[in-house]
């Protein structure tokens, strides 16, 4: 029996937003095993200049990522959708082990299988050094509160 991760394609405006929020919530958990379950067993990724394939590689990558990117907080926003594809833009804030803060901006293109699992993720990301005083994300680690402003509302 195949795994299923609703909402399933083809996406509507409502289901694309729901899918993006589910991804945001999973990534804000910073739990590599939980996040990896949203992808097909043989999912392919390009993350910046790194190419990955498969859940094990994804989980290893995320473990390394969140070991380096501390106090990670992310917001995603749907940019476009069609059939089994969703494009999102995102920004996340984090600091390194020396206490230097960054806001990372990016775009992701997602392609899903018929079971709602992501089989392709293409991410382009740029890091902007920021002062701690310039941070915009102050919620407790974990899920972004429902009443927290979106990227657009924050002017990002």
């Amino acid at each position: 029996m195949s795994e299923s991760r609703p909402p399933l394609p083809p996406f509507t405006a409502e289901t694309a937003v729901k899918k993006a929020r589910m991804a945001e919530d999973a990534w804000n958990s910073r739990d590599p095993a939980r996040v990896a379950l949203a992808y097909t067993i043989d999912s392919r990724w390009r993350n910046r200049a790194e190419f990955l394939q498969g859940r094990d590689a994804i989980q290893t990558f995320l473990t390394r990522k969140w070991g380096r990117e501390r106090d990670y907080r992310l917001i995603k926003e749907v940019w476009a959708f069609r059939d089994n594809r969703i494009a999102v833009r995102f920004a996340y804030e984090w600091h390194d082990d020396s206490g230097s803060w960054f806001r990372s901006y990016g775009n992701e293109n997602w392609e899903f299988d018929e079971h709602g699992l992501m089989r392709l993720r293409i991410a382009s990301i740029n890091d902007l050094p920021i002062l701690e005083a310039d941070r915009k994300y102050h919620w407790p680690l974990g899920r972004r509160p429902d009443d927290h402003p979106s990227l657009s509302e924050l002017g990002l």
Side-chain angles (χ1 to χ4, degrees):
M1 185 168 164
S2 295
E3 303 166 81
S4 184
R5 183 70 64 133
L8 307 177
F11 297 109
T12 65
E14 180 182 343
T15 60
V17 167
K18 183 174 182 179
K19 197 73 157 179
R21 182 57 192 243
M22 290 170 63
E24 176 187 314
D25 291 348
W27 281 65
N28 276 328
S29 76
R30 297 174 334 279
D31 179 345
R34 174 184 171 192
V35 173
L37 290 175
Y39 301 92
T40 61
I41 292 292
D42 60 349
S43 185
R44 293 181 300 120
W45 278 28
R46 181 183 59 78
N47 193 86
R48 301 178 190 250
E50 191 166 350
F51 294 81
L52 309 169
Q53 184 161 5
R55 280 189 187 157
D56 290 342
I58 291 167
Q59 189 168 338
T60 298
F61 169 86
L62 292 172
T63 299
R64 182 171 29 95
K65 170 187 175 64
W66 289 319
R68 184 180 68 252
E69 295 177 356
R70 300 180 179 185
D71 291 324
Y72 175 97
R73 291 170 178 84
L74 164 75
I75 301 176
K76 291 184 184 281
E77 189 171 281
V78 172
W79 184 255
F81 67 93
R82 182 174 180 183
D83 301 327
N84 68 334
R85 293 179 172 176
I86 300 174
V88 298
R89 65 188 198 92
F90 62 88
Y92 61 91
E93 294 180 348
W94 58 282
H95 67 84
D96 62 18
D97 59 0
S98 71
S100 297
W101 280 92
F102 299 86
R103 184 174 304 119
S104 299
Y105 295 95
N107 300 291
E108 292 176 303
N109 296 318
W110 299 340
E111 184 177 89
F112 295 87
D113 71 6
E114 66 275 13
H115 305 289
L117 296 170
M118 195 181 302
R119 65 179 166 212
L120 179 63
R121 175 183 176 266
I122 301 169
S124 298
I125 307 166
N126 299 293
D127 301 321
L128 174 69
I130 61 172
L131 299 173
E132 185 171 5
D134 293 332
R135 292 178 51 220
K136 296 181 180 289
Y137 304 172
H138 297 283
W139 68 84
L141 288 176
R143 186 179 194 276
R144 176 174 54 102
D146 290 334
D147 62 350
H148 190 281
S150 68
L151 290 178
S152 293
E153 292 166 336
L154 290 168
L156 298 177

